[in-house]
PDB file of all heavy atoms in Angstrom:
ATOM      1  N   ALA A  92      88.684  52.518 140.290  1.00  0.00           N
ATOM      2  CA  ALA A  92      88.323  53.405 141.280  1.00  0.00           C
ATOM      3  C   ALA A  92      86.849  53.512 141.349  1.00  0.00           C
ATOM      4  O   ALA A  92      86.244  53.592 140.279  1.00  0.00           O
ATOM      5  CB  ALA A  92      88.951  54.808 141.039  1.00  0.00           C
ATOM      6  N   ARG A 129      95.041  54.764 156.356  1.00  0.00           N
ATOM      7  CA  ARG A 129      94.055  55.645 155.921  1.00  0.00           C
ATOM      8  C   ARG A 129      92.652  55.053 156.158  1.00  0.00           C
ATOM      9  O   ARG A 129      92.473  53.865 155.675  1.00  0.00           O
ATOM     10  CB  ARG A 129      94.179  56.071 154.561  1.00  0.00           C
ATOM     11  CG  ARG A 129      95.441  56.845 154.246  1.00  0.00           C
ATOM     12  CD  ARG A 129      95.789  56.859 152.831  1.00  0.00           C
ATOM     13  NE  ARG A 129      96.021  55.521 152.135  1.00  0.00           N
ATOM     14  CZ  ARG A 129      96.642  55.306 151.011  1.00  0.00           C
ATOM     15  NH1 ARG A 129      97.233  56.301 150.419  1.00  0.00           N
ATOM     16  NH2 ARG A 129      96.805  54.107 150.578  1.00  0.00           N
ATOM     17  N   TYR A 131      88.362  55.463 155.781  1.00  0.00           N
ATOM     18  CA  TYR A 131      87.353  56.159 154.844  1.00  0.00           C
ATOM     19  C   TYR A 131      86.012  55.801 155.450  1.00  0.00           C
ATOM     20  O   TYR A 131      85.745  54.674 155.894  1.00  0.00           O
ATOM     21  CB  TYR A 131      87.469  55.787 153.521  1.00  0.00           C
ATOM     22  CG  TYR A 131      88.834  56.108 152.889  1.00  0.00           C
ATOM     23  CD1 TYR A 131      89.805  55.239 152.871  1.00  0.00           C
ATOM     24  CD2 TYR A 131      89.080  57.460 152.369  1.00  0.00           C
ATOM     25  CE1 TYR A 131      91.147  55.545 152.341  1.00  0.00           C
ATOM     26  CE2 TYR A 131      90.368  57.769 151.924  1.00  0.00           C
ATOM     27  CZ  TYR A 131      91.404  56.870 151.778  1.00  0.00           C
ATOM     28  OH  TYR A 131      92.578  57.170 151.247  1.00  0.00           O
ATOM     29  N   HIS A 176      87.400  51.223 147.239  1.00  0.00           N
ATOM     30  CA  HIS A 176      88.081  52.450 147.461  1.00  0.00           C
ATOM     31  C   HIS A 176      89.497  52.342 148.245  1.00  0.00           C
ATOM     32  O   HIS A 176      90.503  52.882 147.776  1.00  0.00           O
ATOM     33  CB  HIS A 176      87.260  53.528 148.182  1.00  0.00           C
ATOM     34  CG  HIS A 176      87.762  54.952 148.322  1.00  0.00           C
ATOM     35  ND1 HIS A 176      87.731  55.822 147.227  1.00  0.00           N
ATOM     36  CD2 HIS A 176      88.497  55.534 149.258  1.00  0.00           C
ATOM     37  CE1 HIS A 176      88.295  56.934 147.630  1.00  0.00           C
ATOM     38  NE2 HIS A 176      88.842  56.844 148.899  1.00  0.00           N
ATOM     39  N   VAL A 177      89.514  51.508 149.338  1.00  0.00           N
ATOM     40  CA  VAL A 177      90.635  51.283 149.980  1.00  0.00           C
ATOM     41  C   VAL A 177      91.668  50.464 149.139  1.00  0.00           C
ATOM     42  O   VAL A 177      92.862  50.836 149.116  1.00  0.00           O
ATOM     43  CB  VAL A 177      90.423  50.493 151.238  1.00  0.00           C
ATOM     44  CG1 VAL A 177      91.690  50.023 152.019  1.00  0.00           C
ATOM     45  CG2 VAL A 177      89.471  51.476 152.172  1.00  0.00           C
ATOM     46  N   MET A 178      91.151  49.421 148.451  1.00  0.00           N
ATOM     47  CA  MET A 178      92.031  48.579 147.607  1.00  0.00           C
ATOM     48  C   MET A 178      92.673  49.378 146.466  1.00  0.00           C
ATOM     49  O   MET A 178      93.857  49.273 146.085  1.00  0.00           O
ATOM     50  CB  MET A 178      91.233  47.555 147.004  1.00  0.00           C
ATOM     51  CG  MET A 178      90.707  46.545 147.974  1.00  0.00           C
ATOM     52  SD  MET A 178      89.453  45.376 147.228  1.00  0.00           S
ATOM     53  CE  MET A 178      90.465  44.620 145.968  1.00  0.00           C
ATOM     54  N   HIS A 179      91.818  50.394 145.859  1.00  0.00           N
ATOM     55  CA  HIS A 179      92.406  51.243 144.764  1.00  0.00           C
ATOM     56  C   HIS A 179      93.555  52.056 145.321  1.00  0.00           C
ATOM     57  O   HIS A 179      94.606  52.206 144.582  1.00  0.00           O
ATOM     58  CB  HIS A 179      91.303  52.092 144.213  1.00  0.00           C
ATOM     59  CG  HIS A 179      91.698  53.016 143.034  1.00  0.00           C
ATOM     60  ND1 HIS A 179      92.031  52.501 141.854  1.00  0.00           N
ATOM     61  CD2 HIS A 179      91.884  54.269 143.029  1.00  0.00           C
ATOM     62  CE1 HIS A 179      92.310  53.503 141.103  1.00  0.00           C
ATOM     63  NE2 HIS A 179      92.324  54.641 141.720  1.00  0.00           N
ATOM     64  N   GLY A 180      93.409  52.616 146.536  1.00  0.00           N
ATOM     65  CA  GLY A 180      94.471  53.523 147.045  1.00  0.00           C
ATOM     66  C   GLY A 180      95.681  52.599 147.326  1.00  0.00           C
ATOM     67  O   GLY A 180      96.815  53.203 147.095  1.00  0.00           O
ATOM     68  N   MET A 181      95.600  51.457 147.856  1.00  0.00           N
ATOM     69  CA  MET A 181      96.631  50.567 148.025  1.00  0.00           C
ATOM     70  C   MET A 181      97.438  50.314 146.744  1.00  0.00           C
ATOM     71  O   MET A 181      98.680  50.328 146.675  1.00  0.00           O
ATOM     72  CB  MET A 181      96.281  49.180 148.595  1.00  0.00           C
ATOM     73  CG  MET A 181      95.687  49.395 150.055  1.00  0.00           C
ATOM     74  SD  MET A 181      95.267  47.780 150.753  1.00  0.00           S
ATOM     75  CE  MET A 181      94.704  48.153 152.468  1.00  0.00           C
ATOM     76  N   GLN A 182      96.771  50.000 145.678  1.00  0.00           N
ATOM     77  CA  GLN A 182      97.372  49.702 144.435  1.00  0.00           C
ATOM     78  C   GLN A 182      98.047  50.863 143.804  1.00  0.00           C
ATOM     79  O   GLN A 182      99.145  50.868 143.299  1.00  0.00           O
ATOM     80  CB  GLN A 182      96.278  49.148 143.340  1.00  0.00           C
ATOM     81  CG  GLN A 182      95.911  47.768 143.686  1.00  0.00           C
ATOM     82  CD  GLN A 182      95.279  47.041 142.456  1.00  0.00           C
ATOM     83  OE1 GLN A 182      94.690  47.754 141.553  1.00  0.00           O
ATOM     84  NE2 GLN A 182      95.514  45.861 142.290  1.00  0.00           N
ATOM     85  N   ARG A 183      97.528  52.160 144.059  1.00  0.00           N
ATOM     86  CA  ARG A 183      98.244  53.312 143.704  1.00  0.00           C
ATOM     87  C   ARG A 183      99.652  53.470 144.321  1.00  0.00           C
ATOM     88  O   ARG A 183     100.573  54.088 143.855  1.00  0.00           O
ATOM     89  CB  ARG A 183      97.406  54.630 143.997  1.00  0.00           C
ATOM     90  CG  ARG A 183      96.343  54.835 143.073  1.00  0.00           C
ATOM     91  CD  ARG A 183      95.839  56.304 143.051  1.00  0.00           C
ATOM     92  NE  ARG A 183      95.702  56.792 144.382  1.00  0.00           N
ATOM     93  CZ  ARG A 183      94.714  56.811 145.246  1.00  0.00           C
ATOM     94  NH1 ARG A 183      93.546  56.357 144.707  1.00  0.00           N
ATOM     95  NH2 ARG A 183      94.612  57.423 146.381  1.00  0.00           N
ATOM     96  N   ASP A 184      99.539  52.949 145.609  1.00  0.00           N
ATOM     97  CA  ASP A 184     100.824  52.967 146.325  1.00  0.00           C
ATOM     98  C   ASP A 184     101.851  51.746 146.067  1.00  0.00           C
ATOM     99  O   ASP A 184     102.927  51.701 146.582  1.00  0.00           O
ATOM    100  CB  ASP A 184     100.532  52.878 147.936  1.00  0.00           C
ATOM    101  CG  ASP A 184      99.879  54.098 148.432  1.00  0.00           C
ATOM    102  OD1 ASP A 184      99.849  55.185 147.814  1.00  0.00           O
ATOM    103  OD2 ASP A 184      99.268  54.000 149.454  1.00  0.00           O
ATOM    104  N   GLY A 185     101.383  50.829 145.143  1.00  0.00           N
ATOM    105  CA  GLY A 185     102.184  49.728 144.704  1.00  0.00           C
ATOM    106  C   GLY A 185     102.229  48.625 145.702  1.00  0.00           C
ATOM    107  O   GLY A 185     103.166  47.837 145.640  1.00  0.00           O
ATOM    108  N   VAL A 186     101.193  48.472 146.546  1.00  0.00           N
ATOM    109  CA  VAL A 186     101.169  47.419 147.529  1.00  0.00           C
ATOM    110  C   VAL A 186      99.939  46.588 147.239  1.00  0.00           C
ATOM    111  O   VAL A 186      98.878  46.984 146.665  1.00  0.00           O
ATOM    112  CB  VAL A 186     101.123  47.850 149.028  1.00  0.00           C
ATOM    113  CG1 VAL A 186     102.214  48.680 149.301  1.00  0.00           C
ATOM    114  CG2 VAL A 186      99.832  48.651 149.246  1.00  0.00           C
TER     115      VAL A 186
END
Side-chain angles (χ1 to χ4, degrees):
R129 298 166 297 200
Y131 300 92
H176 187 82
V177 173
M178 292 167 64
H179 180 71
M181 291 178 179
Q182 284 201 329
R183 282 203 318 266
D184 292 344
V186 300

